[in-house]
Every structure is written in structure tokens, then in C-alpha cells.
Amino acid sequence: MKNLKDFLFNQGYFRVKLKKTVTNHFEIKVKINKVKGRFILDTGASNSCVGFDEIEIFQLKTEESEHKASGAGSTEIDTLISKKNNIKIGKFQLQKRPLILIDLSHINNALVKQNASPVKGIIGADILHKGKAIIDYNKKYLYLLNKNNKNEFIR
């Protein structure tokens, strides 16, 4: 029997190394609009988010948003939206993708208090779904399907 890596590679997947933090999260390196940053991988987040402080760094064009974000707590969070962003994770690339902008200070403050480094944002289920993501928790790899589908996936 083949191992998971060989099986997925034969299906068109490639893998990206994940880093486990002291807070038991996985971190991943991502490029947004050709700018690198460290992000938390969060399968429970419905949308991928970037912090308000990162608008200029990632060259984001923002618009007002009617939507409120919510996390594990009950407090609603004000948001902005940035449309038509290029997102790259390893060889996986999405073009013209929206991102939600939120205040990440409470998340980054919690990370710093636990001796972890702050992050630029969160990669959520929207991007993971597009890449038909598979996570190997034991070996700490994220597998994403590399398909050329209407300019959304570039091989």
C-alpha cells in the first residue's frame, strides 16, 4: 500500500509544511498580493481573514462590509472586505479572492502572552475548501489539490 504522500501526489496534490506553535495551532506561510506573511490555519473559521493593521502591507483595497464576524466568544466584530486578491500557498494559487479584514489584536495579544509570535491573519475553510485540503496532523503537512480550473488554480 502506498503512503498518503504518494497517493495524494498521484491525485495532483502537493504539500506545504505546517509549523505547530506553542499554542497548539498550525502556522502556514502565505503570500497575498506577492507579500509573504505567517497565518494561522483554522478549519473552524468560515472565511480567511487579515488584520486591519496589514491593509497597507498586503496592498489591500478595502470596502465597507455589512457583515459582522464572530468567534468562539459572543461578541460581534466589525469587518471590512477586500476583493480580488491573489493568494499563494506553496504552488497553490487563487486569483481574485475576497478576504475579510478584522481586528486581530485580541488574537495576537493572546499568542504573545503564551510566548508565540503574532500572525498576519487566518486561513479559513473558504480557501481550504477551494484547495480540497487534506491535513496530515501527525506529519504536519497541508495537502492542496493543484488543478488548472478557470484560472483559479495554477499549476
Side-chain angles (χ1 to χ4, degrees):
M1 184 173 146
K2 291 184 178 182
N3 62 31
L4 179 65
K5 179 184 99 172
D6 292 339
F7 175 78
L8 291 174
F9 281 5
N10 286 336
Q11 302 298 313
Y13 280 81
F14 73 93
R15 68 184 186 173
V16 178
K17 187 69 176 162
L18 298 171
K19 177 185 174 192
K20 195 168 188 180
T21 68
V22 295
T23 60
N24 221 16
H25 291 98
F26 278 132
E27 271 184 11
I28 188 167
K29 293 178 183 175
V30 177
K31 279 188 182 179
I32 296 177
N33 301 326
K34 300 183 180 180
V35 178
K36 292 179 189 176
R38 286 182 313 101
F39 287 69
I40 288 177
L41 188 69
D42 186 350
T43 60
S46 55
N47 293 296
S48 296
C49 306
V50 176
F52 287 139
D53 295 344
E54 314 305 331
I55 291 171
E56 287 182 25
I57 292 169
F58 290 112
Q59 305 154 24
L60 303 174
K61 294 182 174 107
T62 63
E63 300 175 15
E64 293 293 321
S65 174
E66 298 286 323
H67 301 286
K68 301 280 185 186
S70 61
S74 60
T75 307
E76 288 187 334
I77 303 167
D78 289 327
T79 65
L80 293 174
I81 189 164
S82 177
K83 300 176 181 176
K84 298 183 180 179
N85 296 288
N86 295 321
I87 300 166
K88 189 170 183 186
I89 303 171
K91 296 176 185 175
F92 176 75
Q93 188 168 323
L94 292 171
Q95 297 179 344
K96 299 180 182 177
R97 293 296 306 168
L99 291 166
I100 304 299
L101 286 97
I102 63 171
D103 180 3
L104 286 178
S105 61
H106 63 289
I107 292 171
N108 280 325
N109 288 339
L111 290 171
V112 169
K113 282 181 185 177
Q114 295 182 51
N115 296 319
S117 299
V119 295
K120 304 291 185 188
I122 298 165
I123 297 300
D126 56 340
I127 290 175
L128 298 175
H129 179 74
K130 284 285 186 188
K132 300 187 185 314
I134 297 170
I135 300 171
D136 182 338
Y137 284 89
N138 188 42
K139 294 189 179 173
K140 300 179 187 87
Y141 282 105
L142 171 67
Y143 290 86
L144 296 166
L145 187 59
N146 203 18
K147 289 224 175 177
N148 188 2
N149 181 7
K150 295 182 183 175
N151 270 342
E152 217 167 11
F153 301 97
I154 299 175
R155 191 162 192 138

